[in-house]
Amino acid sequence: MPTTDLGAALAGVRALVLDADGVLLYAGQPLPGAVEALAMLDAAAIPYRVVTNFSLAHRETLAAGVSRQFGRPVSPATIITAASAAAAYTATHHPGEPLLVFASDDAQREWDGQHLVSPAEAEDPATPVAAVVIGDAGDELSFRNMNTAFRRLRSGAAFIAMHRNLWWVTAKGITLDSGAVVAGLEEALERRATITGKPSPVVFREALRELAGDVRAAGGPRLRANEVAMIGDDLESDVAGAHRTGLRGLLVLTGKTDARGLASAQGAGRVRGPAVPDAVGESLLVVVARLVGRGAATDGAVNAIEAGDGPR
Ligand SMILES: [Mg+2]
């Protein structure tokens, strides 16, 4: 069985993209070692972006909450959500055009300065709608509102969605996610949405662009995609998404995928192509300690992973 060494997988890495759920947090609580890992990155001046499909809040709200929980300041500028990526996308592709956006009230502030129409306004066929954005709007994703969205999409509005996540874990347990609504609309419309969150290249390219800016501001040489490693707990959203955009993809076992789940997925031949991680680490702290050259991280690394033979 081929093995991938954590140290080898991190050689030459100059910046990180971190998933939030299952890497920094689990069910809303900080994971052990996560705070220490971020402090290590700051001390080593390694730039990072937290890229999350969590999109119920504006980045400022998210950063304030995480700062409180972590007991250290986390800047909103280090966070990219599926909502902020969607707002950046509509600003670029539909500037000044009327948008029907389904997001929480707080996340909708990401669209400040853009032209939004309400679901009630959009029920009137005379109201122009250039694009529909489906995100985490909770009870706003009602049958009535989704019917309005469906009609506008059928009439030719651009179809944008924050992500395809079908479910996630909250303090209340396993919870249906807005990707389930997106899947239903896609079936009814017989066309696919443009996804802005993970695993879409849209959000990874945005992270890469911002990280390259950080490196440039620090006077470093131009940052290449393969010098950036994504660290996540989801083989498809994180690892495969990163690989398809040219980043490295590492898996940690603190979230959706534990050692037993990984072994079982590998055994069933379900870890293939871009979903094959460059390496597997026990936790973010283990990976970051190895990256900055601190600690006997090898003990926590899960080195033996089966390499796939598909394309990256
Ligand atoms: Mg995750």
Side-chain angles (χ1 to χ4, degrees):
M1 180 189 290
T3 60
T4 309
D5 175 73
L6 189 55
L10 290 167
V13 166
R14 297 162 60 205
L16 295 179
V17 177
L18 310 176
D19 178 30
D21 259 328
V23 175
L24 293 168
L25 303 149
Y26 192 82
Q29 296 301 313
L31 278 162
V35 176
E36 197 181 342
L38 292 184
M40 275 186 189
L41 290 175
D42 287 343
I46 295 169
Y48 62 88
R49 286 295 180 280
V50 178
V51 170
T52 174
N53 282 358
F54 179 85
S55 46
L56 277 167
H58 189 276
R59 285 166 293 167
E60 284 169 3
T61 312
L62 214 50
V66 174
S67 298
R68 263 195 311 276
Q69 285 177 312
F70 280 24
R72 69 189 298 282
V74 173
S75 164
T78 62
I79 298 174
I80 301 172
T81 70
S84 71
Y89 183 89
T90 54
T92 306
H93 291 81
H94 301 282
E97 294 178 358
L99 310 168
L100 177 56
V101 173
F102 290 97
S104 72
D105 289 345
D106 190 35
Q108 219 165 70
R109 294 192 294 119
E110 298 283 3
W111 276 268
D112 280 357
Q114 299 191 55
H115 178 188
L116 301 193
V117 298
S118 71
E121 289 167 333
E123 278 186 1
D124 180 353
T127 304
V129 173
V132 175
V133 179
I134 305 290
D136 298 305
D139 292 342
E140 284 290 298
L141 298 177
S142 65
F143 187 83
R144 177 175 179 163
N145 286 347
M146 290 307 93
N147 217 9
T148 301
F150 173 63
R151 288 176 176 140
R152 304 322 299 251
L153 291 164
R154 280 271 296 194
S155 302
F159 187 9
I160 299 157
M162 294 185 193
H163 58 77
R164 292 186 197 285
N165 294 1
L166 298 174
W167 59 271
W168 61 311
V169 181
T170 70
K172 287 183 178 172
I174 287 171
T175 301
L176 196 65
D177 212 337
S178 65
V181 172
V182 174
L185 284 170
E186 287 181 328
E187 285 291 310
L189 290 159
E190 297 183 32
R191 74 178 157 117
R192 304 273 278 176
T194 298
I195 302 294
T196 60
K198 295 180 296 182
S200 162
V202 171
V203 75
F204 287 105
R205 285 193 202 114
E206 175 64 15
L208 184 59
R209 190 186 68 78
E210 293 187 15
L211 289 167
D214 287 2
V215 167
R216 200 166 45 242
R222 194 173 73 86
L223 184 69
R224 297 190 305 259
N226 70 357
E227 293 172 322
V228 180
M230 164 86 208
I231 301 172
D233 70 323
D234 188 304
L235 290 164
E236 175 54 31
S237 271
D238 300 324
V239 175
H243 281 152
R244 291 193 194 103
T245 319
L247 282 65
R248 300 185 210 183
L250 279 72
L251 187 77
V252 290
L253 301 175
T254 44
K256 277 183 182 171
T257 315
D258 59 11
R260 188 187 295 178
L262 177 64
S264 135
Q266 286 172 329
R270 283 188 278 111
V271 186
R272 287 179 304 199
V276 176
D278 293 298
V280 181
E282 192 176 88
S283 68
L284 177 64
L285 183 59
V286 166
V287 175
V288 169
R290 175 56 75 92
L291 178 64
V292 304
R294 294 239 315 257
T298 316
D299 293 345
V302 181
N303 287 329
I305 63 158
E306 199 168 331
D309 49 10
R312 283 276 157 94

